[in-house]
Amino acid sequence: MSEELGRMMVGAGQSDITPPIGTELSGYFHTRISDGVIIPLRAKAVVVGEGSGRCALVALDLITVTAELTGQVRELVEAATGMPGENVMLCATHTHTGPNPRRGGTVKRNEAYMAELPKMISKAVEIAASNQRSCLMCIGTEHEEGLAYVRRFRMENCSEQFGPGGSLKCEGPAGSTDPIFGGIVFKEEITSKPFAVICNYTVHIDVTSGNKISADFPGVMQETLQKIYGDDLIVLYVQGACGNINHVPYLQNDPFPRSGVLKSEQMGRAFAGKAMAIIEKARPSKTTAYGTVREILDVPKYPKNDMVVQMRVAQAKAKVNSTSPGGSEKSLLDRYDDYSDEGFDKREIQAMRFGDAVFCGAPGELFVEWGLEIKKWSPFKFTFIAELCNDAVGYIPTFEAFLRGGYESTPIVSVRSTPALGQMVADANFRNVRKLFELK
């Protein structure tokens, strides 16, 4: 029966990208020195297609991806495999228990590690390109609620903030989640065990916390699925539009741990269950078309004289004079004087097609509302968001969030690009998916 179904040439590979113990961990406004490893960090790649049209999707157990790193990896992959560099799409899972790939900031980069990282990532793609085989691609989704929550809250004065705490009365969560857990399964026959799975969901990966290096729940998910389908299974986790979504059940009497290893294990096993349901039930893609397109945007910087900037600076100064400011407020005051809003930045928006599914990239931490808009206007049966894709611009909030306040929409600190970037990303994906939909 499987011979009657559309087949594709697909390979999968992974490599270890764990930094040495002693490397500073990224994700917070204070220093954390790694003192051990819970789950190693990996680069995981799937290569699809044949000849010069081959495409590679790479999921990295990192907090983010920079344009510099993307360029370095693409150059190495092209030299080693002949695959065009621009056909490689890098995405970070957003783990908060890994190294800092960015220059500058409060967390020190391990420069010796960063010098080797592009080669370590390229190795995963090279392995995937070397073991391509004819296979089926099955795609499906599952509904998942109870592990992802809106982390911004509307307060009694109409402002919004990260978490419901503080002196103001909280009126409730400001928004909704994206409950779709997606999966793409690659297996040689319809009854075969999979050799690779791409999973997609929308929740911040800041669960394990602490001072130990860890891939967090995506690592648990792979380990759980390997116990069922074999140690050779490679599971990629591609992060959705989780800029304002995390794992904490605010305002709920939830009996489970709210963070730490046990919480990470709970989430990893639960997501493995969703992935397993897709593996066992998903139907083969009706088309085997594949490809990738990119659009390069000229993105203005956040205007320094914008009223939101001036309002936030005044609020931060008032807090300094009366109480202890938060991390983002202190960072805003530290950076404001030297900040320049001159010029434009080139930002890449990439989309990649796998049969009936498409991954829509965003070069930062995209708010879920923008992700849902991209999905709404996509002609594909399955549309998945891939945030932290190829670049690191910071948060990409909605227009409303800037005036409402909150950590994620703090100009200069959390947001360094024009407030219009969210719409620019959505519109570029709107155009990209239509180009890919025309592929045969």
Side-chain angles (χ1 to χ4, degrees), residues 19-36 38 62-63 94-100 102 106-110 205-214 216 259-260:
I21 293 173
T23 299
E24 290 192 18
L25 301 179
S26 186
Y28 301 159
F29 285 99
H30 62 269
T31 300
R32 293 179 296 155
I33 307 297
S34 60
D35 58 14
I38 299 173
L62 296 173
I63 194 165
H94 201 45
T95 179
H96 282 51
T97 41
N100 172 33
R102 295 165 289 199
T106 57
V107 177
K108 183 180 178 181
R109 269 198 355 162
N110 185 329
I205 301 185
D206 182 16
V207 184
T208 303
S209 192
N211 295 333
K212 294 193 179 343
I213 296 166
S214 180
D216 214 306
S259 64

Side-chain angles (χ1 to χ4, degrees), residues 50-187:
E50 300 178 67
S52 62
R54 287 186 297 174
C55 300
L57 177 64
V58 187
L60 304 170
D61 290 326
L62 296 173
I63 194 165
T64 196
V65 177
T66 66
E68 178 185 17
L69 179 60
T70 299
Q72 292 169 335
V73 172
R74 284 173 167 173
E75 184 175 334
L76 290 170
V77 169
E78 184 165 344
T81 69
M83 186 190 316
E86 63 183 24
N87 285 10
V88 178
M89 185 177 189
L90 301 184
C91 309
T93 64
H94 201 45
T95 179
H96 282 51
T97 41
N100 172 33
R102 295 165 289 199
R103 296 184 184 277
T106 57
V107 177
K108 183 180 178 181
R109 269 198 355 162
N110 185 329
E111 296 298 339
Y113 167 78
M114 288 303 301
E116 298 300 317
L117 183 58
K119 289 180 281 189
M120 291 189 279
I121 296 171
S122 179
K123 181 181 177 181
V125 184
E126 293 168 35
I127 293 171
S130 69
N131 67 25
Q132 286 183 265
R133 80 291 303 262
S134 176
C135 72
L136 301 173
M137 178 175 63
C138 303
I139 310 173
T141 59
E142 288 287 315
H143 192 89
E144 167 55 48
E145 288 188 287
L147 292 173
Y149 303 89
V150 176
R151 73 182 198 180
R152 285 173 60 87
F153 288 82
R154 179 68 61 87
M155 311 309 285
E156 62 180 325
N157 65 350
C158 296
S159 67
E160 291 178 4
Q161 65 179 42
F162 185 145
S167 59
L168 295 174
K169 178 185 176 184
C170 175
E171 301 293 343
S176 60
T177 64
D178 182 348
I180 301 302
F181 185 99
I184 302 181
V185 182
F186 301 96
K187 48 189 176 179

Side-chain angles (χ1 to χ4, degrees), residues 185-195 229 279-280:
V185 182
F186 301 96
K187 48 189 176 179
E188 294 184 9
E189 304 293 345
I190 195 67
T191 55
S192 301
K193 291 183 178 181
F195 63 87
Y229 298 108
I279 291 169
E280 299 297 339

Side-chain angles (χ1 to χ4, degrees), residues 51 67 125 165 258 287 318 340 413 422 436:
V125 184
R258 293 200 169 197
T287 172
S340 172
V413 177
L436 290 174

